[in-house]
Amino acid sequence: MPINPYLNFNGDCHDAILFYADVFAEPAPDIMTFAAQPGPDGEPVPDEMADLVLHARLSVHGTSLMFSDAMPDGPVTFGQNITLAVVTDDLDAIRREFVALSDGGRVLMPLQETFWSKAYGMVEDRFGVQWQFSHEA
């Protein structure tokens, strides 16, 4: 079984999922919200949690990414502890997706030829997630 990256957000998970589905030309996945399940006491979840994402899964280049919003009383702190590496032989897809993720984000290393790849670059998207792109023939 593969290991699937699981990305947690602080209330903007729904927007992130739709953004990534658009960038990678994938259909929007089913998104389960906290309102779709009972709270810990069997009662409905509080209103401020109802629209938060409990779970979603999106396939990107054959890898399953999973998503969730953090509980309001336990927000996540974004750091450099995870990057997602997209390795493909499709140069057009690399260029298109790198540009799309850069919109509202920050280029950490411009897309360029390196000694190991025809196209390699790093970008931090507008949600604070870092992505590496590498062309592999």
Side-chain angles (χ1 to χ4, degrees):
M1 298 285 298
I3 295 173
N4 298 310
Y6 209 111
L7 303 173
N8 293 286
F9 295 84
N10 290 320
D12 57 357
C13 186
H14 189 269
D15 292 339
I17 293 164
L18 296 180
F19 175 67
Y20 297 137
D22 185 52
V23 166
F24 295 104
E26 295 290 339
D30 291 332
I31 298 173
M32 182 186 306
T33 63
F34 278 90
Q37 52 96 35
D41 57 3
E43 296 296 316
V45 297
D47 288 343
E48 65 270 10
M49 291 180 57
D51 292 330
L52 295 178
V53 174
L54 177 64
H55 178 76
R57 182 188 310 243
L58 179 69
S59 179
V60 174
H61 293 288
T63 296
S64 184
L65 299 180
M66 292 187 271
F67 298 84
S68 180
D69 274 311
M71 299 294 284
D73 60 348
V76 295
T77 302
F78 289 94
Q80 297 173 347
N81 58 328
I82 186 170
T83 62
L84 300 177
V86 176
V87 181
T88 178
D89 64 353
D90 188 337
L91 281 169
D92 291 333
I94 287 174
R95 290 182 183 112
R96 181 181 63 254
E97 294 163 358
F98 187 89
V99 168
L101 289 169
S102 300
D103 185 23
R106 181 170 63 106
V107 173
L108 303 173
M109 179 179 178
L111 200 55
Q112 60 192 282
E113 186 168 343
T114 65
F115 68 89
W116 70 87
S117 175
K118 284 186 179 180
Y120 178 84
M122 290 181 64
V123 62
E124 183 178 278
D125 69 30
R126 64 184 179 202
F127 297 101
V129 176
Q130 292 185 5
W131 298 80
Q132 298 180 56
F133 283 84
S134 186
H135 176 267
E136 188 173 282

